[in-house]
Amino acid sequence: MPREVVKSAECAPTPPFFSQAVKVNGMVFISGQLARDAAGTIIGKGDMAAQTRQVIANLQAIIRAAGGDLRHIVKLTAFMTDMARAPEAWAVREEFFGAHPPASTGVQVQRLTHPDFMIEMEAIAVIED
């Protein structure tokens, strides 16, 4: 079973013990993405919509590096520090996914890896070769 590590230079670099994504048998498992740009700068402090936009842009860059686009995402999981702000995130998600969103799960967490992060998303995509 061939396994390919997928990386995008459009996203913040990851520590050597993390992969941005792994592609195997046409499935792409994308690690949790945060609101960081390619330089590692946190985007949208205090702004759920801005952070969600950056997170989805990161997912989009990684899926592009794997040979696909957002329509290939079949499962999306969002971890948020405040579910009361979820409607802001879902509105942005709709901008990107439109009338055909992937299966989704939203989970409230106490904290992410930095106190300025409000949302993290991981995804699974299927790209038939």
Side-chain angles (χ1 to χ4, degrees), residues 54-112:
Q54 181 64 48
V55 166
I56 295 174
N58 291 346
L59 292 171
Q60 189 171 38
I62 293 167
I63 197 71
R64 214 174 17 248
D69 57 44
L70 289 178
R71 69 188 162 91
H72 291 103
I73 293 177
V74 296
K75 176 70 168 91
L76 188 65
T77 303
F79 305 91
M80 291 172 268
T81 57
D82 183 359
M83 287 302 284
R85 309 247 348 236
E88 298 167 57
W90 301 151
V92 173
R93 187 185 69 162
E94 188 174 357
E95 291 172 20
F96 285 89
F97 292 100
H100 303 287
S104 300
T105 301
V107 179
Q108 181 166 315
V109 295
Q110 185 175 3
R111 183 173 187 251
L112 294 166

Side-chain angles (χ1 to χ4, degrees), residues 9-58:
E10 296 177 56
C11 299
T14 57
F17 48 87
F18 281 101
S19 296
Q20 288 177 342
V22 174
K23 184 176 182 181
V24 61
N25 291 336
M27 295 185 72
V28 183
F29 298 88
I30 304 172
S31 296
Q33 295 299 303
L34 296 159
R36 295 187 310 160
D37 63 14
T41 304
I42 296 174
I43 303 300
K45 182 178 176 182
D47 185 338
M48 179 64 88
Q51 287 204 6
T52 303
R53 202 166 274 110
Q54 181 64 48
V55 166
I56 295 174
N58 291 346

